[in-house]
Amino acid sequence: MKPLANLRVLELARILAGPWAGQMLADLGADVIKVERRGAGDDTRGWGPPFVEGADGKKLGAAYYHSCNRGKRSITADFEDEADMERVRTLARDADIVIENFKTGGLKRYGLDYKSLKAINPRIIYCSITGFGQTGPYAPRAGYDYLIQAMGGLMSITGIDEPTRAGVAVADLFTGIYAAGAILAAVHRRHETGEGAWIDMALLDVQTSVLANQAMNHLVSGEAPGLMGNAHPNVVPYQPFETSDGRAIVAVGNDGQFARFASILGVPELADDPDYQTNAARIVNRERLIPILSERTVRMTRAELLAALEREGVPGGPINNIAQALADPHVQARGMRVELDAPHVAGGTLPQVRGPIVIDGEPMVAERAPPMLGADDDDWEWRAI
């Protein structure tokens, strides 16, 4: 039995942050019922191409939707229909957890806000995910990942020639992960106290929090970090290097690794030079050091450099595209790609990238493919799946 097999989750969320949290809980065994607006459903069902092809040749929704809704059941509701809203409230009455990402206060008119649901289910753990949180001057605003990456400082330290967003919606994804963690903390507390909780997750809070060392660099130095391309603000050398036939990443994390890297390149004396002997010195003298190292790496092929790094215990690797990353032998050995039974999909299975959690040797991944819109409309009851 999976760890969360006895938890019931009502998901009133769409797009990515809320569904990502719900999928994580589903992977861990929770029974997740996703409520979608009748007709179009979750916005991401239309965020294609590419679209998943159905067994009947029709489109079953965008790949985007299928990336974050594994393991769930889908029911549809007209939010202006009181009978539908009463059915949703009935589900909430017996749910352990509600995840919602409506604008602040948006569910009050339907009797689905925290105060209303707490009145009928005092043990409810209610997780609200918004762009800016339940308080503060921006609370009423809608928040999207791209906007949050810009406002939260991430774009100012990402890119080479101009501020650049990350290639995936990291503010949404981090928020989903933090939300799942907060939910499980509230479940643990409920075991002790019997009390539910209202969790306030804001994308801007999360983005600000995960600035991590870059935020601390500013707090300590008083200076705002800027664009550094692929270099690292606190570690040198920690970047791509050109070889005779392509680029490779070298990630030197300590002085011993630097000594071995210098030896690989035929300049072992650099490790004893006071200008480069320590990481702090290498940061100060970065602009002189990197050309010296680069002049040596271009004499080697990428395969030669990577083999030498592996042999000497210096972290390094290729810059893979997504196809190459998924085809990597280690990624394959870890079983990161899975095939879920899906009779409604062309070919009968749906490929997925599983979540990263492994407990007692068992990868935590839901066995149910993402649901077709309204697939469970005929069954509004909580039941074993």
Side-chain angles (χ1 to χ4, degrees):
M1 179 181 293
K2 289 186 177 178
L4 305 185
N6 295 319
L7 287 181
R8 297 169 170 176
V9 181
L10 184 62
E11 183 183 298
L12 307 175
R14 59 208 182 280
I15 306 183
L16 188 54
W20 197 257
Q23 179 172 267
M24 184 173 171
L25 299 179
D27 279 344
L28 290 165
D31 181 3
V32 181
I33 294 182
K34 182 181 182 72
V35 180
E36 304 186 62
R37 286 191 181 273
R38 189 162 296 137
D42 189 309
D43 298 15
T44 59
R45 287 185 182 271
W47 284 14
F51 292 94
V52 172
E53 182 183 352
D56 58 2
K58 296 180 180 179
K59 295 176 181 177
L60 292 182
Y64 196 121
Y65 169 83
H66 287 82
S67 74
C68 52
N69 287 288
R70 177 176 60 244
K72 303 173 186 177
R73 294 188 272 157
S74 169
I75 62 174
T76 60
D78 178 350
F79 277 69
E80 303 304 323
D81 184 308
E82 176 55 28
D84 278 1
M85 291 301 93
E86 181 56 31
R87 284 191 286 268
V88 176
R89 288 191 290 270
T90 297
L91 288 171
R93 185 178 294 112
D94 295 318
D96 294 287
I97 297 154
V98 170
I99 302 172
E100 63 92 4
N101 66 348
F102 282 67
K103 289 177 67 174
T104 301
L107 286 175
K108 185 175 182 179
R109 61 183 291 198
Y110 307 115
L112 293 172
D113 59 306
Y114 173 65
K115 184 177 180 180
S116 298
L117 295 188
K118 182 182 179 183
I120 62 174
N121 182 356
R123 291 172 54 84
I124 195 75
I125 293 167
Y126 190 101
C127 181
S128 294
I129 297 175
T130 58
F132 300 98
Q134 301 297 310
T135 61
Y138 301 160
R141 297 185 186 180
Y144 287 88
D145 179 273
Y146 195 177
L147 175 65
I148 298 300
Q149 288 193 37
M151 294 181 68
L154 181 63
M155 288 179 60
S156 75
I157 56 172
T158 304
I160 297 174
D161 298 321
E162 64 178 2
T164 305
R165 71 175 180 87
V168 294
V170 292
D172 276 335
L173 295 170
F174 270 120
T175 300
I177 294 167
Y178 272 109
I183 287 166
L184 295 181
V187 169
H188 178 74
R189 188 184 72 172
R190 190 176 66 183
H191 290 325
E192 302 295 325
T193 67
E195 296 179 0
W198 186 14
I199 297 167
D200 175 9
M201 296 297 308
L203 270 66
L204 186 59
D205 291 354
V206 171
Q207 181 58 80
T208 304
S209 176
V210 299
L211 290 173
N213 60 296
Q214 291 281 40
M216 198 64 187
N217 288 346
H218 163 65
L219 294 175
V220 170
S221 71
E223 298 179 4
L227 297 177
M228 293 193 64
N230 288 313
H232 195 291
N234 298 108
V235 187
V236 175
Y238 200 96
Q239 64 183 73
F241 283 90
E242 293 286 354
T243 68
S244 63
D245 60 351
R247 284 183 157 196
I249 295 293
V250 179
V252 168
N254 57 52
D255 297 336
Q257 291 173 359
F258 176 71
R260 295 196 294 276
F261 182 42
S263 181
I264 289 170
L265 300 185
V267 283
E269 65 274 10
L270 292 180
D272 296 319
D273 188 322
D275 286 345
Y276 311 122
Q277 194 170 33
T278 66
N279 182 66
R282 292 192 294 274
I283 289 176
V284 171
N285 297 294
R286 183 197 304 260
E287 292 186 4
R288 285 194 290 126
L289 174 62
I290 297 305
I292 296 172
L293 301 177
S294 298
E295 192 273 332
R296 294 283 176 155
T297 62
V298 295
R299 302 180 188 181
M300 307 173 72
T301 67
R302 185 169 66 171
E304 288 171 342
L305 177 59
L306 292 178
L309 295 173
E310 177 73 16
R311 182 176 64 250
E312 298 299 326
V314 179
I319 303 173
N320 289 330
N321 63 30
I322 290 177
Q324 291 167 331
L326 293 176
D328 184 281
H330 188 82
V331 174
Q332 292 185 335
R334 294 290 293 174
M336 292 303 298
R337 173 175 171 157
V338 296
E339 302 285 338
L340 302 184
D341 289 337
H344 57 290
V345 172
T349 61
L350 182 71
Q352 294 270 284
V353 177
R354 70 167 177 83
I357 299 173
V358 178
I359 298 177
D360 293 333
E362 179 187 357
M364 294 290 106
V365 58
E367 297 177 357
R368 291 165 57 98
M372 295 178 64
L373 180 61
D376 301 279
D377 273 345
D378 292 335
D379 187 357
W380 287 76
E381 301 297 324
W382 292 109
R383 59 179 174 79
I385 57 174

